[in-house]
Amino acid sequence: MSDTVRLRIRRQDGPEARARWESFALRRKPHMNVISCLQAIQADPVDADGRATTPVVWDCNCLEEVCGACTMVINGRARQACTALVDELGASITLEPLGKFPVVRDLVVDRQVMFENLKRIKGWIPIDGTYDLGPGPRLPERERQFAYSLSRCMTCGCCMEACPQVNPRTNFIGPATLAQAVYFNASPTGRMTASERLEAVMGDGGITECGNAQNCVKACPKEVPLTTAIAGLNRATTWHYVKNWLTR
Amino acid sequence: MDRKNIVIVGGGLAGQMAAVRAAEQHFHVDLVSLVPIKRSHSVCAQGGINAAVNTKGEGDSPWEHFDDTIYGGDFLANQTPVKRMCESAPGIIYLFDRMGVPFNRTAEGLLDFRRFGGTKHHRTAYAGATTGQQLLYALDEQVRRYEVAGQITKHEGWEFLSVVRDGGGACRGVVAANHVDGAIRAFRAGAVILATGGPGLIFGRSTNSVINTGAAAAAVYLQGGVYANGEFIQVHPTAIPGEDKLRLMSESARGEGGRVWVPRDGKPWYFLEEMYPAYGNLVPRDIATRAIFEVCVNQGLGVDGKNQVYLDLTHIPADELEVKLGGILEIYRKFTGEDPARVPMKVFPAVHYSMGGLWVDFDQMTSIPGLFAAGECEYQYHGGNRLGANSLLSCIHGGQVAARAAMDHVDGVPAAPGPDPYDAEVRRQEAVFEEIRSMDGDENPYRLHRELGEVMTDNVTVVRHNDRLDETLERIAEFKERWRHIGPPDRDGTLNQSLYFTRQLHHMLELAHVIALGARLRDESRGAHYKPAFPSRDDDRFLKTTLATHTPDGPRIDYEDVDIQYLPPRPRVYDVYRKEDRP
């Protein structure tokens, strides 16, 4: 393996600025990941031709793939930079910002829309208050495991990036948000307000925008069962529609 | 409006808990956070959260939890707030259960509890091995609910710069900067709660997230807030080394039966079990870390001749591991390519947590009236060493106490005396950035930070020597001088991260000074603070809280007595279980 790591990074000074490519050559060290490459550029900001440049701007926080911050497109695929190990990425590494969100600068994008979508589906358990009201409802461990698999979603945006239906022509809220609706509706307390979330995902940009491409579940770094959740939500919304019609 | 307004800085567990508490009492909250609050460092907490509910018939109780916590902290924590925390713990678990946290369950569908370090009881509730993430998400959802209701306004991507003090010295709000466009503005409030986390980045690489610079707490210290017990830094025994960070392998791995060993004479040597028969692999973190250091550094028995030991789960059925520890197994697999269900993990100690932090009273108020602190940025609950799974608890409990106290404070606060202090503080902070922008030396802030981290890790962690601490203090003085010769690698433009980092580095150097000086002056060994030249705990001289106050010549160190009204100090040993010693 070459002792030089080569990176091509798509840079953009601001939301309105034109994008450009910069190349970097770094000395290879054991156990490097994309984060440590970007850190090396911060400490010595020169490009592959030795010209001084500014440090590349990117988002990161936990560096162990639980916060979702450092999501970017690495060699064509949306994933977290922390778990992108250099030795597994081939001879050259290409970094780009996520394409489905507005660029703030360089590799940083604005994913606020995902948090807004969670408001739309009323993504919370409507508890009475945070004072001590005793234990919560009992839950079979098997149901708990399904809920947990959905609750590991870190709102990173990989599924949005992979989904062909998330594009400027639709206002699809995306796979992650739909799966969160399933998560809250699976909770014994959340179930009491399930119809509100079903109504929300039956509206504009909701579940009917899903084209069943099934890219999302493959793109998810946390193995959230997105397609299973969406299929279940499809059945629930259909039944809800029929029930609404019958009780009109 | 601003009199019924509370500003909370920091969107981790403590800050979010306080925000929800205040919002449900019809206060308005401005929640200021560096990052989208759902990405706060609390997501990294893995193993669980303690509450003595005694569901396993082991005779556990909040009193036992209190005793374990005080004893585990080597009697340095004030006992009144710790007792309150342990008493509130069961209610906190039930609250999060009601919020929908997918805690692991028993066959009856009740909450399951597991073992953790420094206790003989199953006291730790958990959601796989991503408990912090799950607790944080549950609060994030409640915050969103109050955001929709107009009770909470989030300001994400804003960096706290300073508090605003009125003519009488009381805190009346904060000044913060927007990372994207660089705008600096004041946020007015009747009370402020700081919940900004720990300072792990001072040690370069640690188990902490990159935002954990301690810069916010340091800013308050520079404005006159007292910083307590700074020298008490927890080094977690089990992390995977990495170029960019040291990744935690949760204590819950040992709670579920994981064993630590090194090869010796061709056979596994389970040294923790041999040295500490009563607690074995579940000794508190300071004890386990020192044992690993002894075996690797002094005896040269590290695995493959390196500073690393095995953390072995291979004797536990793989499907059980997946349900109880899946989150950390995934981290280990992704970063090392090896499967801990098949081969033992290789781990080594890493800086993890600060027991020290801003001094607060029993109602979480700092030495600045109207400014409260909760979570890792304050010092109050863990004494000389924190027990595993007590940090999530102290964040949530501290956030609840701070919210109550802040609301009471706002209700009683008079109109601010003197002239409007906000504009002056905004201008002062704008001048700081102007100064940083105009610096044009040849130092790179990121390289200087690495040097600081190496010096601090080498000299102010597991084993401390006075001569090396003296050298460290000299190096910190040198770094402070070199900081003035930084040339920010990026002066203008949107989202100028290096400008903010340069400012954070300044603050890290100030806190490093507090930490190193506190360690230098404490000539004893207690909890995580260990000096071979002074191997015993010295209650006569040092059963005291360290108080650091900023002066132009560096920190002034004073000491304050510790509240020991419930449990008289007794020797701390983990090789035997001495229940008879307990009151």
Side-chain angles (χ1 to χ4, degrees):
Chain A
M1 201 172 288
S2 155
D3 56 4
T4 303
V5 180
R6 297 196 172 276
L7 292 108
R8 274 181 81 232
I9 302 178
R10 188 180 158 98
R11 304 198 57 177
Q12 189 172 331
D13 291 339
E16 310 301 327
R18 262 185 51 195
R20 63 183 192 280
W21 289 92
E22 261 182 29
S23 297
F24 296 88
L26 307 172
R27 194 158 56 84
R28 185 180 294 270
K29 292 185 188 169
H31 310 299
M32 279 181 116
N33 57 3
V34 166
I35 299 287
S36 65
C37 291
L38 293 167
Q39 287 176 337
I41 295 170
Q42 282 182 327
D44 187 15
V46 292
D47 71 8
D49 301 320
R51 283 186 301 249
T53 181
T54 50
V56 176
V57 175
W58 86 100
D59 227 350
C60 69
N61 192 26
C62 77
L63 309 188
E64 54 194 52
E65 209 190 70
V66 284
C67 82
C70 68
T71 311
M72 57 184 73
V73 177
I74 300 172
N75 287 355
R77 183 161 79 86
R79 56 184 297 189
Q80 280 71 49
C82 59
T83 38
L85 305 184
V86 166
D87 290 348
E88 294 169 8
L89 286 172
S92 82
I93 300 169
T94 304
L95 307 182
E96 298 166 83
L98 291 173
K100 300 278 176 85
F101 304 90
V103 171
V104 179
R105 183 174 175 185
D106 291 350
L107 302 171
V108 177
V109 296
D110 181 354
R111 282 170 281 182
Q112 199 54 43
V113 63
M114 293 189 74
F115 298 118
E116 292 299 321
N117 288 341
L118 289 171
K119 290 181 186 167
R120 236 179 100 176
I121 60 143
K122 299 190 196 306
W124 52 77
I125 303 295
I127 57 167
D128 288 351
T130 66
Y131 15 91
D132 186 2
L133 297 174
R138 290 194 184 196
L139 193 65
E141 170 62 14
R142 207 161 45 87
E143 284 182 30
R144 196 283 308 180
Q145 287 180 18
F146 177 65
Y148 179 68
S149 70
L150 298 172
S151 184
R152 297 184 70 216
C153 169
M154 40 188 198
T155 326
C156 68
C158 285
C159 60
M160 302 279 278
E161 189 76 8
C163 176
Q165 290 298 101
V166 175
N167 64 52
R169 292 177 304 282
T170 73
N171 49 0
F172 183 33
I173 58 176
T177 310
L178 293 178
Q180 290 302 296
V182 175
Y183 168 68
F184 293 107
N185 282 1
S187 141
T189 311
R191 208 170 286 157
M192 298 176 194
T193 45
S195 59
E196 293 178 21
R197 291 186 203 89
L198 294 177
E199 301 275 349
V201 301
M202 287 160 74
D204 182 41
I207 192 163
T208 53
E209 292 291 350
C210 171
N212 205 22
Q214 310 211 6
N215 292 359
C216 54
V217 73
K218 282 173 258 171
C220 178
K222 304 321 277 185
E223 296 171 27
V224 176
L226 293 165
T227 45
T228 309
I230 293 170
L233 193 61
N234 235 327
R235 286 190 297 276
T237 48
T238 307
W239 179 236
H240 186 73
Y241 180 83
V242 171
K243 212 169 66 177
N244 276 355
W245 186 79
L246 289 173
T247 56
R248 227 169 11 169
Chain B
M1 166 76 165
D2 52 304
R3 295 216 26 219
K4 270 286 190 186
N5 198 46
I6 292 178
V7 165
I8 298 176
V9 185
L13 273 180
Q16 290 200 29
M17 184 72 248
V20 171
R21 266 284 153 100
E24 77 183 5
Q25 297 300 327
H26 311 294
F27 279 73
H28 178 264
V29 175
D30 280 307
L31 183 51
V32 178
S33 172
L34 276 174
V35 295
I37 59 170
K38 197 174 180 177
R39 310 200 195 284
S40 301
H41 177 63
S42 302
V43 291
C44 288
Q46 297 169 342
I49 175 168
N50 286 333
V53 290
N54 194 35
T55 55
K56 309 271 183 191
E58 298 168 328
D60 201 7
S61 67
W63 179 268
E64 287 290 317
H65 184 187
F66 167 58
D67 187 289
D68 283 338
T69 301
I70 293 296
Y71 187 68
D74 228 348
F75 292 89
L76 191 63
N78 287 321
Q79 294 185 1
T80 301
V82 175
K83 187 163 171 289
R84 287 181 193 160
M85 173 180 80
C86 297
E87 286 164 353
S88 78
I92 284 173
I93 302 290
Y94 294 147
L95 164 61
F96 279 78
D97 183 24
R98 285 172 41 235
M99 283 186 199
V101 170
F103 287 120
N104 284 50
R105 302 283 160 161
T106 65
E108 257 188 76
L110 298 170
L111 300 180
D112 200 4
F113 288 81
R114 66 178 161 209
R115 292 269 322 267
F116 243 73
T119 180
K120 303 289 271 184
H121 298 103
H122 287 74
R123 186 185 288 152
T124 307
Y126 60 102
T130 62
T131 313
Q133 181 193 45
Q134 296 303 313
L135 296 175
L136 187 77
Y137 287 4
L139 273 177
D140 175 73
E141 292 149 12
Q142 298 298 322
V143 167
R144 189 164 292 110
R145 180 183 175 200
Y146 283 108
E147 216 189 334
V148 171
Q151 293 288 123
I152 296 177
T153 307
K154 290 198 289 196
H155 306 272
E156 295 172 327
W158 285 79
E159 176 151 348
F160 168 84
L161 303 177
S162 62
V163 293
V164 179
R165 302 181 73 172
D166 66 23
C171 178
R172 294 287 182 163
V174 307
V175 169
N178 182 300
H179 273 180
V180 173
D181 65 12
I184 293 175
R185 63 160 277 203
F187 293 83
R188 294 162 181 252
V192 173
I193 300 172
L194 207 68
T196 50
L201 263 268
I202 289 173
F203 294 82
R205 291 175 304 160
S206 71
T207 65
N208 285 194
S209 297
V210 299
I211 52 174
N212 299 141
T213 62
V220 169
Y221 158 74
L222 292 171
Q223 286 186 283
V226 174
Y227 198 88
N229 288 343
E231 66 270 31
F232 287 91
I233 297 292
Q234 179 165 80
V235 180
H236 194 290
T238 60
I240 348 171
E243 261 296 298
D244 52 335
K245 106 170 264 197
L246 312 174
R247 295 180 177 86
L248 180 67
M249 283 295 113
S250 170
E251 189 168 295
S252 57
R254 284 171 286 139
E256 295 293 353
R259 302 175 78 186
V260 174
W261 61 278
V262 290
R264 188 178 66 171
D265 306 328
K267 293 197 299 281
W269 178 32
Y270 298 99
F271 55 93
L272 288 174
E273 296 168 29
E274 189 179 304
M275 293 174 184
Y276 301 100
Y279 286 79
N281 293 291
L282 288 174
V283 288
R285 292 170 180 173
D286 58 324
I287 308 274
T289 292
R290 280 195 290 276
I292 292 170
F293 247 64
E294 165 65 24
V295 165
C296 291
V297 179
N298 296 346
Q299 300 187 26
L301 289 171
V303 175
D304 303 333
K306 295 183 190 158
N307 281 336
Q308 52 187 14
V309 298
Y310 286 129
L311 171 55
D312 195 346
L313 297 170
T314 56
H315 55 290
I316 303 171
D319 50 349
E320 184 186 331
L321 285 179
E322 213 49 60
V323 173
K324 293 182 167 175
L325 298 172
I328 61 165
L329 303 186
E330 181 189 18
I331 291 173
Y332 195 85
R333 285 187 199 116
K334 286 195 175 179
F335 285 96
T336 71
E338 290 182 337
D339 182 2
R342 298 159 158 287
V343 294
M345 296 185 273
K346 291 176 196 158
V347 295
F348 195 67
V351 168
H352 181 55
Y353 187 86
S354 172
M355 276 70 72
L358 289 170
W359 180 91
V360 289
D361 66 14
F362 294 175
D363 291 322
Q364 311 283 145
M365 190 158 86
T366 67
S367 55
I368 297 174
L371 176 64
F372 299 80
E376 194 180 339
C377 70
E378 57 92 342
Y379 88 111
Q380 155 149 276
Y381 293 103
H382 309 294
N385 170 67
R386 176 172 68 74
L387 291 189
N390 265 355
S391 61
L392 295 177
L393 178 61
S394 64
C395 281
I396 294 166
H397 173 72
Q400 293 184 346
V401 173
R404 178 73 268 157
M407 288 187 281
D408 290 346
H409 181 87
V410 171
D411 283 338
V413 79
D420 185 317
Y422 298 100
D423 285 348
E425 188 56 32
V426 168
R427 281 197 301 275
R428 194 171 78 87
Q429 294 304 327
E430 284 171 345
V432 169
F433 280 100
E434 271 320 299
E435 192 190 324
I436 294 175
R437 268 199 199 89
S438 67
M439 298 195 313
D440 63 350
D442 49 14
E443 295 280 356
N444 173 294
Y446 298 99
R447 285 204 294 273
L448 192 54
H449 172 245
R450 276 187 203 183
E451 281 188 62
L452 169 70
E454 281 163 19
V455 168
M456 291 298 286
T457 301
D458 286 348
N459 302 307
V460 203
T461 51
V462 184
V463 181
R464 296 165 171 187
H465 303 277
N466 279 343
D467 53 346
R468 290 171 62 180
L469 289 167
D470 283 330
E471 282 167 36
T472 303
L473 288 164
E474 284 169 27
R475 292 299 305 277
I476 291 169
E478 173 208 319
F479 293 148
K480 283 186 183 179
E481 178 57 30
R482 284 169 59 193
W483 182 87
R484 294 143 60 93
H485 301 286
I486 285 175
D490 186 5
R491 283 173 207 281
D492 305 303
T494 301
L495 192 55
N496 188 333
Q497 294 173 333
S498 43
L499 208 57
Y500 291 98
F501 187 77
T502 302
R503 186 181 172 283
Q504 291 161 3
L505 178 61
H506 172 272
H507 285 42
M508 283 191 256
L509 289 165
E510 294 292 341
L511 266 197
H513 196 166
V514 169
I515 293 166
L517 185 61
R520 173 63 185 83
L521 296 179
R522 187 177 277 273
D523 280 337
E524 66 158 352
S525 292
R526 180 188 300 271
H529 173 74
Y530 171 63
K531 282 186 177 175
F534 303 90
S536 308
R537 193 173 84 197
D538 184 349
D539 284 345
D540 291 339
R541 288 181 67 202
F542 288 110
L543 180 53
K544 292 189 188 319
T545 300
T546 309
L547 304 177
T549 311
H550 174 67
T551 78
D553 304 320
R556 187 187 78 223
I557 302 288
D558 301 295
Y559 296 96
E560 176 182 79
D561 284 341
V562 177
D563 164 15
I564 50 167
Q565 61 171 313
Y566 298 103
L567 297 168
R570 59 184 196 270
R572 180 175 181 251
V573 289
Y574 285 96
D575 49 344
V576 288
Y577 182 58
R578 298 207 305 198
K579 201 168 174 108
E580 69 276 13
D581 285 352
R582 296 174 167 216

